[in-house]
Amino acid sequence: MNGGRLIPDGGGWDSSMSGNGFKKVAKKVHDLGLKFGIHVMRGISVQAYNANTPILDPIKGGAFESSGRIWRARDIGMTDRRCKWMQHGFMSVNTDLAAGRAFLRQHSAVAMAVYVLGPLIFFFSLLLRRGLSECVTENQELASLPPRGWNSYDSFDWVINEKDFLQNAEMVSKRLRAHGYEYAVVDYLWYRKREKNASRDSEGLDVIDEWGRLVPEPRRWPSSKDGKGFKEVAKRVHDLGLKFGIHVMRGISVQAYKANTPILDPIKGVAFEESGRIWRARDIGMSDRRCKWMPHGFMSVNTDLAAGRAFLRSLYQQYAEWGVDFVKNDCVFGDDLDVKEISAVSKILKELDRPIVYSLSPGSIVTPNMGKEVRSFVNMYRITGDDWDTWKDVHYHFNVARDFAAANLIGAEGLNGKSWPDMDMLPLGWLTVPGMNRGPFRKCNLTLAEQRTQITLWSMVKSPLMFGGDMRKIDKTTLKLITNPTILEIDHFSQNNMEILDFISTKDTGSSNRISSHSRKLKDEKNVLSLTSCKDHKARGWVIGSHDEELGQICWKDSLESKDQSPFCLYRRRPLLTSKEKSIDKQQYQGKFLLLGKNTKDFCLETSTDRKLTSSELEISSLASCKRNANQMWELNHNGTLVNCYSGLCATKETMKATANDAEARAWIAIGRKGQIYVAFFNLSSEKRLISAKIKDLVGALHLGFSRCKGTEIWSGKDIKPAERLLSVVVPSHGCALFDLTCN
């Protein structure tokens, strides 16, 4: 390897010594009247990337310099786009960067020396094109590893501007890019005017173009003027060796709907026409399916209409033209589920020339079955509400993480690559407070032990890692935490990640008098109403119960037949309509009804909250004044499913079992790419606990035959000796222990 370029092995190609490469071999082949060819792989070698070799400037002959610095292999290598069948061998280079193109050009210059005869240049051109595309055509895999990057939301809410964003992106490039953090993402409301009374759900303060599409607010994003959108910002981000991402909302804005803007035909470049007329925003907007936590902001579009699909295509085609690499689509998943829009966007992204990672947010009330329904359409999908820097929020993720790992959804097939359950951003470092309309002004409230617990769990679940703190004020402790090499290795390359049961947690009293509890001792249970995909067989169990003229009942069938439990029933009634509404909306409300809370006729169950929930605040449903909004309307199908008209999700009855370990301890295990075993113990209680597990039980969970292990506890640095048959450690309150073990 010479400057990151592959050269013949001198042990097998004697004539290549002294920098001759294949020159002498090529000459001998030419002397025989033949033409000489070579095979090359995609992009750059992993070996050169790890060595971080400088890039040669093929014109000047020295190291490639741009923006006042020398560029190296890690600046151009794309770790998430490795050759699928040779992942430890080669990866793509970022050809959006001048340094990436220079690296490929230097290969061309070297190889051209092989083809010393003029007529052979054309042949080489074809061969080089084929060689460089080897492993590219069939392996353009998106999100082959859990994406990493920085997102503006935790530190700026919605008020970030171009200057602050680019300053943070520059720091991501300098301090995190070498550790695999490659995305810089602008979170929501980049199109909103920052006026005195502006807030998340303001109406009429967004900047839209003539086609009803949102564009950056020019006072906050000066480079967007004259119709440039995010092109200049994206270019700056790409020049830093990063990828650029944006947050978008569901469907179409209420502002565009009220202005009734025409729909752009993205193919013809003019207003969309069909059936002899021009289609507009009010033709495709679904006013009864507004985003519940931003009702003055956005609504779904009707993707059954060609005009609706054309509008979405015009949006994402514009994002691609701007240079966007990552889209975070909000208010389309969880209890706001809109599978039609998700699948329509996914189809559009497949057809674009530019690869774009597709992420869904938020993930309120997400079940593994819902994940299975969307995973093939996307690359990331949030499985919790917003995660902030409270222990309650961190604690909430343990059950969710367990369930999605058990459902084999980690790294499942996704859009043009893989998909990853997303545990949300890491709210560490210098942060803001949601809803305050101000930038970063405070430190993270989590203790160091709680921060270690969070990032350890995220890595054991292989969640995408999106740092949320202000990069300009990142402290040494936070930087060391989010770049810990073992954490990052587990997050990207571990396998068989799972929660395990074979451990013992004891209250550490500092003496032999310890209170012991195993991990799965039942304490209590209760029935709750849950939401799931209507394809889930567990959703089929609802029947009509008692009925009177005003109120009827919908009951869970098994509870009616059980002698050991009270019937689980919900009251229902038809929506109250005026005489005029009855004639107009009779078909719209046919067969649909409201579900009432107990002991009330005025409050109804709805499936989405009117505000964004944090992870610890999640509720499966809530009571609100009865209206005729789609999120309060339900329909009972012949197959026994009770479907919500807003989300398309179905209600089911679940028995929630509280366990001793819910308040005490958890344990996870995974296998490393070199055969090492990773074990994590988590103490969820408010007191120190001694957590122990036998080595044979741990490796048994992975169906391995090892009995002796040695290694290190990552956070303390304590060595684990080969003679020890028991992993045992005192874990602080809300803390964790992480073991990196080599076993034989």
Side-chain angles (χ1 to χ4, degrees), residues 477-521:
T477 300
T478 302
L479 180 63
K480 186 176 180 180
L481 189 68
I482 65 175
T483 60
N484 181 282
T486 303
I487 288 292
L488 299 184
E489 175 73 15
I490 295 171
D491 183 64
H492 265 183
F493 301 112
S494 60
Q495 301 177 50
N496 290 24
N497 308 65
M498 69 182 84
E499 185 180 281
I500 56 174
L501 310 182
D502 293 318
F503 69 95
I504 294 177
S505 168
T506 62
K507 181 178 178 181
D508 185 61
T509 62
S511 67
S512 60
N513 181 24
R514 292 193 173 104
I515 304 171
S516 176
S517 63
H518 290 268
S519 61
R520 284 292 186 269
K521 182 179 178 182

Short mmCIF file of all heavy atoms in Angstrom, two decimals, residues 477-521:
data_model
loop_
_atom_site.label_atom_id
_atom_site.label_comp_id
_atom_site.label_asym_id
_atom_site.label_seq_id
_atom_site.Cartn_x
_atom_site.Cartn_y
_atom_site.Cartn_z
N THR A 477 -15.53 14.85 29.21
CA THR A 477 -16.22 13.65 29.69
C THR A 477 -17.24 13.16 28.68
O THR A 477 -17.32 11.96 28.38
CB THR A 477 -16.91 13.93 31.04
OG1 THR A 477 -15.92 14.34 31.99
CG2 THR A 477 -17.62 12.69 31.54
N THR A 478 -18.03 14.08 28.14
CA THR A 478 -19.05 13.70 27.15
C THR A 478 -18.39 13.19 25.88
O THR A 478 -18.83 12.17 25.31
CB THR A 478 -19.95 14.91 26.82
OG1 THR A 478 -20.57 15.37 28.03
CG2 THR A 478 -21.03 14.51 25.84
N LEU A 479 -17.34 13.87 25.42
CA LEU A 479 -16.65 13.43 24.21
C LEU A 479 -16.07 12.04 24.39
O LEU A 479 -16.18 11.18 23.49
CB LEU A 479 -15.54 14.43 23.87
CG LEU A 479 -14.72 14.11 22.61
CD1 LEU A 479 -15.62 14.13 21.38
CD2 LEU A 479 -13.57 15.10 22.45
N LYS A 480 -15.46 11.80 25.53
CA LYS A 480 -14.88 10.48 25.81
C LYS A 480 -15.97 9.41 25.84
O LYS A 480 -15.76 8.28 25.38
CB LYS A 480 -14.13 10.52 27.14
CG LYS A 480 -13.36 9.26 27.47
CD LYS A 480 -12.57 9.42 28.77
CE LYS A 480 -11.80 8.15 29.09
NZ LYS A 480 -11.02 8.29 30.36
N LEU A 481 -17.14 9.76 26.35
CA LEU A 481 -18.24 8.81 26.46
C LEU A 481 -18.76 8.41 25.09
O LEU A 481 -18.93 7.21 24.79
CB LEU A 481 -19.37 9.44 27.28
CG LEU A 481 -20.53 8.55 27.69
CD1 LEU A 481 -20.08 7.50 28.69
CD2 LEU A 481 -21.66 9.40 28.28
N ILE A 482 -19.03 9.38 24.22
CA ILE A 482 -19.66 9.07 22.93
C ILE A 482 -18.66 8.58 21.89
O ILE A 482 -19.06 8.16 20.79
CB ILE A 482 -20.44 10.27 22.37
CG1 ILE A 482 -19.53 11.43 22.03
CG2 ILE A 482 -21.53 10.70 23.35
CD1 ILE A 482 -20.25 12.60 21.37
N THR A 483 -17.35 8.61 22.22
CA THR A 483 -16.35 8.06 21.31
C THR A 483 -15.64 6.85 21.91
O THR A 483 -14.61 6.42 21.39
CB THR A 483 -15.30 9.13 20.94
OG1 THR A 483 -14.65 9.59 22.15
CG2 THR A 483 -15.94 10.30 20.22
N ASN A 484 -16.19 6.30 22.99
CA ASN A 484 -15.58 5.12 23.61
C ASN A 484 -15.47 4.01 22.57
O ASN A 484 -16.47 3.61 21.97
CB ASN A 484 -16.44 4.65 24.79
CG ASN A 484 -15.84 3.45 25.49
OD1 ASN A 484 -15.93 2.33 25.01
ND2 ASN A 484 -15.21 3.68 26.63
N PRO A 485 -14.27 3.51 22.31
CA PRO A 485 -14.09 2.54 21.22
C PRO A 485 -14.87 1.24 21.40
O PRO A 485 -15.34 0.66 20.41
CB PRO A 485 -12.58 2.30 21.20
CG PRO A 485 -12.09 2.77 22.54
CD PRO A 485 -13.00 3.86 22.97
N THR A 486 -15.01 0.77 22.64
CA THR A 486 -15.78 -0.47 22.86
C THR A 486 -17.26 -0.24 22.58
O THR A 486 -17.92 -1.07 21.94
CB THR A 486 -15.58 -0.98 24.29
OG1 THR A 486 -14.19 -1.17 24.54
CG2 THR A 486 -16.31 -2.30 24.50
N ILE A 487 -17.79 0.89 23.04
CA ILE A 487 -19.19 1.24 22.78
C ILE A 487 -19.44 1.28 21.28
O ILE A 487 -20.43 0.72 20.76
CB ILE A 487 -19.54 2.59 23.43
CG1 ILE A 487 -19.63 2.45 24.96
CG2 ILE A 487 -20.84 3.14 22.86
CD1 ILE A 487 -20.80 1.62 25.44
N LEU A 488 -18.58 1.95 20.55
CA LEU A 488 -18.76 2.10 19.11
C LEU A 488 -18.59 0.77 18.38
O LEU A 488 -19.28 0.50 17.39
CB LEU A 488 -17.79 3.14 18.56
CG LEU A 488 -17.94 4.56 19.15
CD1 LEU A 488 -16.98 5.52 18.46
CD2 LEU A 488 -19.37 5.05 19.04
N GLU A 489 -17.67 -0.05 18.85
CA GLU A 489 -17.49 -1.38 18.25
C GLU A 489 -18.73 -2.24 18.44
O GLU A 489 -19.20 -2.90 17.50
CB GLU A 489 -16.27 -2.05 18.89
CG GLU A 489 -16.04 -3.49 18.45
CD GLU A 489 -15.51 -3.63 17.03
OE1 GLU A 489 -15.04 -2.63 16.47
OE2 GLU A 489 -15.56 -4.75 16.50
N ILE A 490 -19.28 -2.23 19.64
CA ILE A 490 -20.51 -3.00 19.91
C ILE A 490 -21.65 -2.49 19.05
O ILE A 490 -22.39 -3.28 18.42
CB ILE A 490 -20.89 -2.91 21.40
CG1 ILE A 490 -19.82 -3.58 22.28
CG2 ILE A 490 -22.25 -3.56 21.66
CD1 ILE A 490 -20.01 -3.34 23.77
N ASP A 491 -21.80 -1.18 18.99
CA ASP A 491 -22.93 -0.59 18.27
C ASP A 491 -22.90 -0.96 16.79
O ASP A 491 -23.95 -1.19 16.18
CB ASP A 491 -22.89 0.93 18.44
CG ASP A 491 -24.07 1.61 17.77
OD1 ASP A 491 -25.21 1.36 18.20
OD2 ASP A 491 -23.85 2.37 16.81
N HIS A 492 -21.73 -1.03 16.19
CA HIS A 492 -21.64 -1.30 14.75
C HIS A 492 -21.49 -2.78 14.41
O HIS A 492 -22.05 -3.24 13.41
CB HIS A 492 -20.49 -0.53 14.14
CG HIS A 492 -20.90 0.79 13.54
ND1 HIS A 492 -20.02 1.62 12.88
CD2 HIS A 492 -22.10 1.41 13.50
CE1 HIS A 492 -20.68 2.70 12.46
NE2 HIS A 492 -21.93 2.60 12.84
N PHE A 493 -20.74 -3.53 15.20
CA PHE A 493 -20.31 -4.83 14.71
C PHE A 493 -20.72 -6.03 15.57
O PHE A 493 -20.40 -7.16 15.22
CB PHE A 493 -18.79 -4.83 14.53
CG PHE A 493 -18.31 -3.79 13.56
CD1 PHE A 493 -17.56 -2.71 14.00
CD2 PHE A 493 -18.62 -3.89 12.22
CE1 PHE A 493 -17.12 -1.75 13.12
CE2 PHE A 493 -18.19 -2.93 11.33
CZ PHE A 493 -17.44 -1.86 11.76
N SER A 494 -21.39 -5.82 16.70
CA SER A 494 -21.81 -6.98 17.51
C SER A 494 -22.99 -7.70 16.86
O SER A 494 -23.67 -7.16 15.99
CB SER A 494 -22.16 -6.53 18.92
OG SER A 494 -23.22 -5.59 18.90
N GLN A 495 -23.23 -8.92 17.31
CA GLN A 495 -24.33 -9.74 16.80
C GLN A 495 -25.00 -10.47 17.96
O GLN A 495 -24.48 -10.52 19.07
CB GLN A 495 -23.80 -10.76 15.79
CG GLN A 495 -23.10 -10.18 14.59
CD GLN A 495 -22.56 -11.26 13.69
OE1 GLN A 495 -23.26 -12.19 13.31
NE2 GLN A 495 -21.29 -11.14 13.33
N ASN A 496 -26.15 -11.06 17.65
CA ASN A 496 -26.90 -11.84 18.65
C ASN A 496 -27.19 -11.02 19.91
O ASN A 496 -27.15 -11.54 21.02
CB ASN A 496 -26.14 -13.12 19.03
CG ASN A 496 -26.13 -14.13 17.90
OD1 ASN A 496 -26.26 -13.76 16.74
ND2 ASN A 496 -25.96 -15.39 18.21
N ASN A 497 -27.50 -9.77 19.75
CA ASN A 497 -27.75 -8.88 20.88
C ASN A 497 -29.08 -9.24 21.53
O ASN A 497 -30.11 -9.28 20.86
CB ASN A 497 -27.78 -7.44 20.40
CG ASN A 497 -26.54 -7.08 19.59
OD1 ASN A 497 -26.34 -7.62 18.52
ND2 ASN A 497 -25.74 -6.17 20.09
N MET A 498 -29.07 -9.45 22.85
CA MET A 498 -30.30 -9.85 23.53
C MET A 498 -30.22 -9.58 25.03
O MET A 498 -29.14 -9.53 25.62
CB MET A 498 -30.56 -11.34 23.31
CG MET A 498 -29.57 -12.26 24.02
SD MET A 498 -29.87 -14.01 23.70
CE MET A 498 -29.00 -14.19 22.14
N GLU A 499 -31.41 -9.40 25.62
CA GLU A 499 -31.50 -9.36 27.08
C GLU A 499 -31.53 -10.80 27.58
O GLU A 499 -32.13 -11.67 26.94
CB GLU A 499 -32.76 -8.63 27.52
CG GLU A 499 -32.85 -8.46 29.03
CD GLU A 499 -34.10 -7.72 29.47
OE1 GLU A 499 -34.11 -6.48 29.37
OE2 GLU A 499 -35.06 -8.38 29.91
N ILE A 500 -30.86 -11.06 28.71
CA ILE A 500 -30.81 -12.41 29.26
C ILE A 500 -31.39 -12.42 30.67
O ILE A 500 -31.48 -11.39 31.34
CB ILE A 500 -29.36 -12.96 29.28
CG1 ILE A 500 -28.44 -12.01 30.06
CG2 ILE A 500 -28.86 -13.17 27.87
CD1 ILE A 500 -27.05 -12.54 30.25
N LEU A 501 -31.76 -13.64 31.12
CA LEU A 501 -32.44 -13.78 32.41
C LEU A 501 -31.58 -14.42 33.49
O LEU A 501 -31.90 -14.30 34.67
CB LEU A 501 -33.69 -14.65 32.22
CG LEU A 501 -34.63 -14.27 31.08
CD1 LEU A 501 -35.83 -15.20 31.07
CD2 LEU A 501 -35.07 -12.83 31.20
N ASP A 502 -30.50 -15.08 33.06
CA ASP A 502 -29.73 -15.88 34.02
C ASP A 502 -28.71 -15.02 34.78
O ASP A 502 -27.52 -15.03 34.50
CB ASP A 502 -29.02 -17.03 33.31
CG ASP A 502 -30.00 -18.04 32.78
OD1 ASP A 502 -30.97 -18.35 33.49
OD2 ASP A 502 -29.82 -18.51 31.64
N PHE A 503 -29.20 -14.27 35.73
CA PHE A 503 -28.33 -13.51 36.61
C PHE A 503 -29.06 -13.30 37.93
O PHE A 503 -30.27 -13.49 38.04
CB PHE A 503 -27.93 -12.16 35.99
CG PHE A 503 -29.06 -11.18 35.87
CD1 PHE A 503 -29.27 -10.23 36.86
CD2 PHE A 503 -29.92 -11.20 34.79
CE1 PHE A 503 -30.31 -9.32 36.76
CE2 PHE A 503 -30.96 -10.30 34.68
CZ PHE A 503 -31.16 -9.36 35.67
N ILE A 504 -28.30 -12.91 38.93
CA ILE A 504 -28.87 -12.64 40.25
C ILE A 504 -28.51 -11.22 40.66
O ILE A 504 -27.37 -10.78 40.53
CB ILE A 504 -28.34 -13.64 41.30
CG1 ILE A 504 -28.84 -15.05 40.96
CG2 ILE A 504 -28.81 -13.24 42.70
CD1 ILE A 504 -28.30 -16.11 41.90
N SER A 505 -29.49 -10.50 41.13
CA SER A 505 -29.29 -9.13 41.61
C SER A 505 -29.56 -9.10 43.11
O SER A 505 -30.60 -9.56 43.56
CB SER A 505 -30.23 -8.18 40.86
OG SER A 505 -30.26 -6.92 41.49
N THR A 506 -28.60 -8.57 43.88
CA THR A 506 -28.77 -8.48 45.32
C THR A 506 -28.51 -7.07 45.79
O THR A 506 -27.64 -6.37 45.26
CB THR A 506 -27.82 -9.45 46.06
OG1 THR A 506 -26.48 -9.06 45.78
CG2 THR A 506 -28.05 -10.87 45.64
N LYS A 507 -29.29 -6.64 46.76
CA LYS A 507 -29.07 -5.33 47.35
C LYS A 507 -27.77 -5.35 48.13
O LYS A 507 -27.57 -6.17 49.01
CB LYS A 507 -30.24 -4.97 48.26
CG LYS A 507 -30.12 -3.60 48.90
CD LYS A 507 -31.34 -3.31 49.75
CE LYS A 507 -31.23 -1.97 50.45
NZ LYS A 507 -32.42 -1.70 51.31
N ASP A 508 -26.85 -4.46 47.78
CA ASP A 508 -25.55 -4.42 48.44
C ASP A 508 -25.64 -3.58 49.70
O ASP A 508 -25.77 -2.36 49.64
CB ASP A 508 -24.50 -3.84 47.49
CG ASP A 508 -23.12 -3.89 48.10
OD1 ASP A 508 -22.67 -5.01 48.38
OD2 ASP A 508 -22.52 -2.82 48.29
N THR A 509 -25.59 -4.26 50.85
CA THR A 509 -25.72 -3.56 52.13
C THR A 509 -24.38 -3.32 52.79
O THR A 509 -24.31 -2.79 53.89
CB THR A 509 -26.59 -4.39 53.10
OG1 THR A 509 -25.95 -5.66 53.33
CG2 THR A 509 -27.97 -4.62 52.51
N GLY A 510 -23.31 -3.75 52.10
CA GLY A 510 -21.99 -3.58 52.69
C GLY A 510 -21.66 -4.65 53.70
O GLY A 510 -20.69 -4.56 54.41
N SER A 511 -22.48 -5.68 53.81
CA SER A 511 -22.23 -6.78 54.75
C SER A 511 -22.72 -8.06 54.12
O SER A 511 -23.15 -8.09 52.98
CB SER A 511 -22.96 -6.53 56.07
OG SER A 511 -24.36 -6.61 55.88
N SER A 512 -22.69 -9.14 54.86
CA SER A 512 -23.16 -10.43 54.34
C SER A 512 -24.68 -10.50 54.32
O SER A 512 -25.26 -11.43 53.80
CB SER A 512 -22.60 -11.58 55.20
OG SER A 512 -23.04 -11.42 56.55
N ASN A 513 -25.34 -9.53 54.92
CA ASN A 513 -26.80 -9.51 54.96
C ASN A 513 -27.34 -8.86 53.70
O ASN A 513 -27.58 -7.66 53.63
CB ASN A 513 -27.27 -8.74 56.20
CG ASN A 513 -28.79 -8.71 56.29
OD1 ASN A 513 -29.45 -9.59 55.75
ND2 ASN A 513 -29.32 -7.70 56.96
N ARG A 514 -27.50 -9.67 52.64
CA ARG A 514 -27.94 -9.14 51.36
C ARG A 514 -29.34 -9.63 51.05
O ARG A 514 -29.71 -10.75 51.36
CB ARG A 514 -26.98 -9.57 50.24
CG ARG A 514 -25.60 -8.91 50.35
CD ARG A 514 -24.83 -9.11 49.06
NE ARG A 514 -23.60 -8.35 49.07
CZ ARG A 514 -22.42 -8.90 49.27
NH1 ARG A 514 -22.31 -10.19 49.48
NH2 ARG A 514 -21.34 -8.15 49.25
N ILE A 515 -30.11 -8.77 50.40
CA ILE A 515 -31.46 -9.12 49.99
C ILE A 515 -31.40 -9.54 48.54
O ILE A 515 -30.97 -8.78 47.67
CB ILE A 515 -32.41 -7.91 50.16
CG1 ILE A 515 -32.36 -7.44 51.62
CG2 ILE A 515 -33.82 -8.26 49.73
CD1 ILE A 515 -33.09 -6.13 51.83
N SER A 516 -31.80 -10.74 48.22
CA SER A 516 -31.62 -11.30 46.89
C SER A 516 -32.94 -11.40 46.13
O SER A 516 -33.99 -11.63 46.72
CB SER A 516 -31.00 -12.70 46.99
OG SER A 516 -30.92 -13.29 45.71
N SER A 517 -32.85 -11.22 44.83
CA SER A 517 -34.03 -11.43 43.98
C SER A 517 -33.56 -11.85 42.60
O SER A 517 -32.62 -11.29 42.07
CB SER A 517 -34.87 -10.16 43.87
OG SER A 517 -34.15 -9.13 43.26
N HIS A 518 -34.19 -12.88 42.03
CA HIS A 518 -33.87 -13.29 40.67
C HIS A 518 -34.56 -12.35 39.70
O HIS A 518 -35.42 -11.56 40.04
CB HIS A 518 -34.29 -14.74 40.45
CG HIS A 518 -33.43 -15.71 41.20
ND1 HIS A 518 -32.32 -16.28 40.65
CD2 HIS A 518 -33.52 -16.17 42.48
CE1 HIS A 518 -31.75 -17.08 41.54
NE2 HIS A 518 -32.46 -17.03 42.66
N SER A 519 -34.19 -12.48 38.44
CA SER A 519 -34.58 -11.46 37.47
C SER A 519 -36.02 -11.50 37.03
O SER A 519 -36.48 -10.56 36.43
CB SER A 519 -33.69 -11.60 36.23
OG SER A 519 -33.88 -12.87 35.64
N ARG A 520 -36.78 -12.55 37.28
CA ARG A 520 -38.12 -12.63 36.72
C ARG A 520 -39.15 -13.13 37.73
O ARG A 520 -39.91 -14.04 37.47
CB ARG A 520 -38.12 -13.55 35.49
CG ARG A 520 -37.51 -12.88 34.24
CD ARG A 520 -38.40 -11.76 33.77
NE ARG A 520 -37.95 -11.20 32.52
CZ ARG A 520 -37.12 -10.17 32.43
NH1 ARG A 520 -36.65 -9.62 33.52
NH2 ARG A 520 -36.77 -9.71 31.25
N LYS A 521 -39.17 -12.54 38.86
CA LYS A 521 -40.16 -12.90 39.87
C LYS A 521 -41.39 -12.01 39.71
O LYS A 521 -41.32 -10.80 39.83
CB LYS A 521 -39.58 -12.74 41.28
CG LYS A 521 -40.54 -13.15 42.38
CD LYS A 521 -39.89 -12.98 43.74
CE LYS A 521 -40.83 -13.34 44.86
NZ LYS A 521 -40.22 -13.12 46.18
#
